[in-house]
Amino acid sequence: MNRIRLINSIIQKANFKKYLEIGTRSGTSLYTISCKNKIAIDPNFIIPKMEKLKRKVFDIKNNRKTHYFEMTSDDFFEQKKEFLKNFGTVEISLVDGMHTYHQALKDVLNILPFMDEKSIIVMHDCFPVSEPASTAYNSEEFFTKEKHPEWTGEWNGDTWKSILYLLKKYPNDLEVFVIDTDYGLGIIQKKHNLPMNFELDTEFFRQFISYTFQDLKKNPQELINLKSKDIIPSLLNRFHY
Ligand SMILES: C[S@@+](CC[C@H](N)C(=O)[O-])C[C@H]1O[C@@H](n2cnc3c(N)ncnc32)[C@H](O)[C@@H]1O
């Protein structure tokens, strides 16, 4: 099961109508996810204008109400507060933008205030496939075969540390785990809907910067609460109302 099938299964079970995606690129995930209202955020969409228009006109069920924001996720949450307020509860999200600890964490912390206890975040790339793939770069362009001779083409970055932060920072408030499929699908849900502070705690953040891929490999259950794919049916059952 990959991120797209998992998200579609949850949307279907929960009858979710509001989807937010950080990191869209050419629309592989955006256009195969079936949801009525969508937000797509990417500073560099690789989707021709005509394609967007065609989807709007001909794929009425899934893309009539797709809102594209060609900007970084930070700019989106900073500049589009009014839009988000009107959008209402964000029911399901895919976090798949910049694959760094800092940015992935900020993306999750920015979405959480717009979620309720039924909402869910799926975060891609939480269980890196190799040491080179787990390298933290701020740009995909740096990540070339020349720099990493053993690189096999995947880039997951150190996104996984954001899972570690969330697990340790919010043990009573968030349910957080990673499913061992599709480079690690991070799952984040609220345990309650009480008001909370989701500002980034810089001191807390620093604790995990020096953790390595080897640390993760030694103890993925402890560091990212890694679960096998067998957990998927019980995850889906949560959405059976
Ligand atoms: C791995 S691709 C997304 C793939 C897509 N979700 C899919 O499954 O087909 C990552 C995308 O994140 C975008 N990105 C990079 N930095 C970002 C940021 N700060 N905010 C939002 N998107 C970002 C890149 O432009 C790129 O298109």
Side-chain angles (χ1 to χ4, degrees):
M1 165 109 41
N2 68 12
R3 61 200 176 285
I4 296 168
R5 284 188 57 201
L6 179 67
I7 290 172
N8 273 332
S9 304
I10 295 171
I11 289 173
Q12 210 182 5
K13 274 241 167 190
N15 197 20
F16 280 158
K17 306 247 185 298
K18 291 177 195 171
Y19 170 73
L20 181 149
E21 181 172 283
I22 296 179
T24 293
R25 188 174 276 154
S26 53
T28 307
S29 47
L30 183 73
Y31 291 142
T32 41
I33 284 169
S34 301
C35 200
K36 201 169 174 204
N37 300 289
K38 296 180 187 170
I39 294 175
I41 306 154
D42 198 307
N44 188 23
F45 286 114
I46 308 178
I47 308 175
K49 258 194 190 144
M50 204 53 198
E51 180 67 24
K52 290 182 188 167
L53 194 66
K54 260 172 38 195
R55 298 271 175 181
K56 200 175 173 69
V57 174
F58 297 114
D59 189 4
I60 298 169
K61 194 168 146 245
N62 288 317
N63 288 294
R64 164 77 93 212
K65 291 186 183 165
T66 297
H67 305 273
Y68 301 87
F69 294 92
E70 189 141 20
M71 52 177 63
T72 65
S73 46
D74 284 353
D75 284 349
F76 172 78
F77 287 105
E78 185 56 41
Q79 295 169 20
K80 302 293 170 186
K81 291 191 170 78
E82 200 55 33
F83 176 88
L84 263 171
K85 218 170 90 190
N86 293 331
F87 188 77
T89 305
V90 175
E91 294 173 312
I92 183 159
S93 304
L94 172 65
V95 173
D96 193 14
M98 179 53 65
H99 297 153
T100 62
Y101 171 26
H102 190 234
Q103 190 60 54
L105 179 60
K106 273 204 288 175
D107 288 345
V108 170
L109 296 176
N110 275 329
I111 297 170
L112 278 163
F114 299 95
M115 291 169 56
D116 65 18
E117 72 279 14
K118 286 183 194 144
S119 306
I120 182 166
I121 295 176
V122 176
M123 181 155 60
H124 199 212
D125 298 294
C126 292
F127 193 42
V129 73
S130 66
E131 185 138 30
S134 74
T135 313
Y137 280 117
N138 271 320
S139 160
E140 242 177 303
E141 280 134 51
F142 287 115
F143 209 77
T144 61
K145 282 188 180 181
E146 287 75 52
K147 290 213 169 191
H148 289 277
E150 308 124 66
W151 184 45
T152 50
E154 296 99 339
W155 182 41
N156 314 115
D158 61 349
T159 307
W160 64 273
K161 292 179 194 166
S162 62
I163 294 286
L164 176 58
Y165 174 106
L166 294 164
L167 268 172
K168 304 295 176 200
K169 175 84 181 159
Y170 302 106
N172 302 317
D173 306 302
L174 297 181
E175 166 127 39
V176 181
F177 60 93
V178 173
I179 307 174
D180 190 2
T181 187
D182 194 11
Y183 303 107
L185 298 180
I187 301 294
I188 299 129
Q189 284 193 285
K190 284 180 171 173
K191 290 185 179 174
H192 58 75
N193 207 14
L194 302 170
M196 281 187 63
N197 177 7
F198 288 114
E199 266 172 51
L200 191 119
D201 179 337
T202 317
E203 279 308 304
F204 204 84
F205 175 86
R206 287 206 188 104
Q207 288 180 64
F208 307 117
I209 292 175
S210 61
Y211 279 57
T212 65
F213 176 74
Q214 296 310 332
D215 296 328
L216 174 65
K217 279 284 151 178
K218 263 185 241 149
N219 206 349
Q221 277 73 25
E222 160 71 20
L223 295 193
I224 58 169
N225 197 14
L226 188 70
K227 309 269 187 202
S228 87
K229 281 187 282 192
D230 299 346
I231 195 149
I232 293 174
S234 69
L235 173 65
L236 291 178
N237 274 339
R238 284 185 207 174
F239 297 97
H240 197 67
Y241 305 118

